[in-house]
Amino acid sequence: MFMLDPRLEADSLPLGTFGLCQVRLMNDCRWPWLLLVPMRADAVELHELAPADRSMLADEIALAAKALKAATGALKINTGALGNIVRQLHVHIVARNEGDPNWPGPVWGFGTRQPYTSQDAAALRERLAPHLFPMESKA
């Protein structure tokens, strides 16, 4: 049975689900930053997923990256799956722009997290929703 790692749950806000993944917003307003978490019990490494799940994950990463770029106008989208601290398989998709905190360096381990206000998180969710979940946005 799939269970979200408590650290991922504590550090991010739920946005919805795709066919395979939970879609979450990293709760750090310094960068628009999505997490995709495949809803597969005990998934740790990408190569451990079934071939169909690997393919679906690649499609969902592309969808999330396009949505993030469209909603934010980011110059660059960074994608990574490290898992050194949180072993549960998850993929980071981060919108980057020249001059953002630590540009062009990595976001991981840089400075102190700055959580979203509830209003700012809601505003970003609203901008992302039509791109992430177009069918729900039309309903």
Side-chain angles (χ1 to χ4, degrees), residues 25 71 116-130:
L25 175 65
Y116 283 96
T117 65
S118 57
Q119 295 85 2
D120 288 343
L124 183 54
R125 275 189 191 116
E126 201 166 300
R127 286 195 343 253
L128 285 165

Side-chain angles (χ1 to χ4, degrees), residues 43-80:
V44 174
E45 305 292 349
L46 180 62
H47 68 268
E48 295 172 346
L49 291 176
D53 284 347
R54 283 196 307 269
S55 179
M56 185 177 258
L57 179 57
D59 289 345
E60 291 181 3
I61 290 167
L63 174 61
K66 287 179 190 177
L68 197 55
K69 188 161 183 99
T72 66
L75 173 69
K76 182 73 175 86
I77 301 295
N78 293 169
T79 304

Side-chain angles (χ1 to χ4, degrees), residues 35-111:
L35 292 177
L36 297 184
V37 185
M39 294 179 289
R40 296 295 184 257
D42 303 320
V44 174
E45 305 292 349
L46 180 62
H47 68 268
E48 295 172 346
L49 291 176
D53 284 347
R54 283 196 307 269
S55 179
M56 185 177 258
L57 179 57
D59 289 345
E60 291 181 3
I61 290 167
L63 174 61
K66 287 179 190 177
L68 197 55
K69 188 161 183 99
T72 66
L75 173 69
K76 182 73 175 86
I77 301 295
N78 293 169
T79 304
L82 305 177
N84 295 341
I85 295 173
V86 175
R87 291 191 50 179
Q88 182 173 41
L89 181 59
H90 61 287
V91 178
H92 299 264
I93 303 166
V94 188
R96 301 296 306 271
N97 285 295
E98 289 181 3
D100 73 21
N102 208 37
W103 176 268
V107 298
W108 292 276
F110 177 77

Side-chain angles (χ1 to χ4, degrees), residues 1-15 21-25 35-42 86 88-90:
M1 183 169 134
F2 171 78
M3 293 187 60
L4 183 63
D5 183 282
R7 290 165 292 194
L8 294 179
E9 187 168 14
D11 290 346
S12 63
L13 308 167
L15 295 179
C21 294
Q22 282 191 12
V23 182
R24 303 184 67 85
L25 175 65
L35 292 177
L36 297 184
V37 185
M39 294 179 289
R40 296 295 184 257
D42 303 320
V86 175
Q88 182 173 41
L89 181 59
H90 61 287

